Amino acid sequence: MDASGLNLDLIKKYNVQGPRYTSYPTAPQFKEVGEEAVLDLKKCIFKRNQEAHQISLYFHIPFCFSLCWYCGCTKVITKDQDRGDIYLDYLENEMDQVKELLHPDSKVVQIHFGGGTPTFLAPDQLTRLGSAIHQRFNTNSKTEFSIEIDPWRCTREHIRVLKSIGCNRASLGVQDTNPNVQKAIHRIQPYEQTKLVTDWLREEEIRSINFDLIYGLPRQTLATFQQTMNDVLQLKPDRLAVYSYAHIPQIMPAQRLLNVNEMPTTDEKLSMLLEAIAHFTGNGFRFIGMDHFSRRDEELSQAIDNDSLQRNFQGYSTLAGADLYGFGMSAISNVGNRYWQNSKEMNEYYRLLGKSTLPVKRLLHLCKDDLVRKDAIMRIMCRKSLSKSEMEEKWGIDFETYFGDALQNLVELERDGLVSINRNEIVITEKGRLFLRNIAICFDRYLNRGKTDRNFSKTV
């Protein structure tokens, strides 16, 4: 992507609150449910699994040794690693319940450990978790198996164990390499430690490595962020995620510990974004969309060209159509036309599993309109265009009539060069790839009819 086509005025204009569209409808639309609805859900899962499906498994490990003040994840702060054994007891309970509902020939194509800090678990606990998964589900050497790693809380033995249980991808939380910024956000992580863990991963042939960066943090300047980008490029990552810091202390109270007076101005923050796009695309990376970059020879880049790029709760992926089962507190699942989310409270998560029921607290059954709009929005997030004729043929609609409001909403975006609309398709321009969330918002029935609050992060 050529960053010269962007400017601060355009970015500020579209830097509004909006969903990240890891799902549609988005999580605020999920409804709280009781045990009767969960029993019905189990029946639906069992019915769907009268035939085999490809499946994706997500495991939420909520524990962290210390609190990063910027973090917006569901987490439990503790130094007691014995809590990991108790948590694994319940994870195995949950896996047993789900396994009984699945077709025995269903194949696992993707596994992801998220958190929290999955490497909070000791090596023997990770071994136990890996064994529990492989014993219950059909995995093989081709299963895509990724983990989120805090380099400061990771040993060589962790990496050896991850390799032994089949892990072949890793995402390292870096955020920023500047010591003053790290102190301001309460996350001390020397660059040397990040390099050490990266080297260990490659020595164990876990070669697909992603780094997470954040711009807009206290004490960051354009100069310090440029140094962070240079630092991570020395480690030769395969992918990069460059996130905008979302300051939402009303939802994440720990963010009140940050000094807002030390945060960069809007212009400074957005200048970091422009610099990131220019710097990474000038150094062999392709801008995938929103905040993701991939090496030009890496599969995410190839997926854009062959229209196989997908999006789910773990971000961008090349694996299409798998049923997603989430395990652990707060984990979200998506199977067929249903989303559901586990309890975000650990005691409640444990209590429900102790009653031999799934720990589901929120659920959404998608209607046909949800499914049509989900298809449109996911095509926008993952492809270079949205074909009107393909949507009409698949869903039996007249595109111009069905999406009349959306087309009207797109007029200004087309005027600003983010999309190009012709008789047959809506084309996302190279400049528009930064504003995918804004384009998708135009098709979001809930936002455009005022049926949800806009308590989301900024779109840029």
Side-chain angles (χ1 to χ4, degrees), residues 410-424:
L410 286 170
V411 168
E412 189 167 2
L413 283 76
E414 183 177 32
R415 190 180 302 127
D416 287 330
L418 310 187
V419 296
S420 174
I421 304 174
N422 58 47
R423 185 167 175 265
N424 296 316

Side-chain angles (χ1 to χ4, degrees), residues 195-264:
K195 181 180 185 304
L196 183 62
V197 174
T198 303
D199 290 343
W200 289 341
L201 287 164
R202 292 204 168 106
E203 288 168 12
E204 293 295 332
E205 299 186 335
I206 301 175
R207 299 193 178 278
S208 181
I209 298 174
N210 172 80
F211 292 150
D212 288 345
L213 305 180
I214 298 178
Y215 63 95
L217 295 171
R219 300 183 189 173
Q220 275 183 335
T221 66
L222 183 57
T224 66
F225 196 63
Q226 286 171 327
Q227 184 59 53
T228 289
M229 291 189 287
N230 288 330
D231 288 343
V232 298
L233 283 176
Q234 291 182 46
L235 302 180
K236 297 181 170 50
D238 302 281
R239 300 178 185 179
L240 290 157
V242 186
Y243 297 115
S244 169
Y245 168 64
H247 191 62
I248 45 175
Q250 68 277 16
I251 299 175
M252 296 295 165
Q255 293 183 349
R256 297 192 179 101
L257 296 168
L258 298 173
N259 187 343
V260 294
N261 296 319
E262 294 182 330
M263 292 181 185

Side-chain angles (χ1 to χ4, degrees), residues 53-112:
H53 291 272
Q54 289 189 332
I55 60 176
S56 174
L57 307 176
Y58 171 74
F59 294 86
H60 190 78
I61 312 300
F63 304 108
C64 294
F65 286 104
S66 61
L67 178 65
C68 300
W69 294 347
Y70 63 86
C71 181
C73 300
T74 301
K75 60 217 173 263
V76 175
I77 308 302
T78 181
K79 289 181 167 41
D80 182 4
Q81 283 183 286
D82 288 343
R83 295 183 68 177
D85 288 312
I86 299 170
Y87 190 73
L88 291 177
D89 290 340
Y90 285 95
L91 273 183
E92 290 176 357
N93 179 326
E94 188 178 5
M95 282 189 271
D96 285 336
Q97 290 194 51
V98 171
K99 175 182 178 293
E100 293 302 313
L101 303 173
L102 300 182
H103 193 284
D105 294 331
S106 288
K107 299 288 193 299
V108 177
V109 296
Q110 185 179 51
I111 300 171
H112 185 78

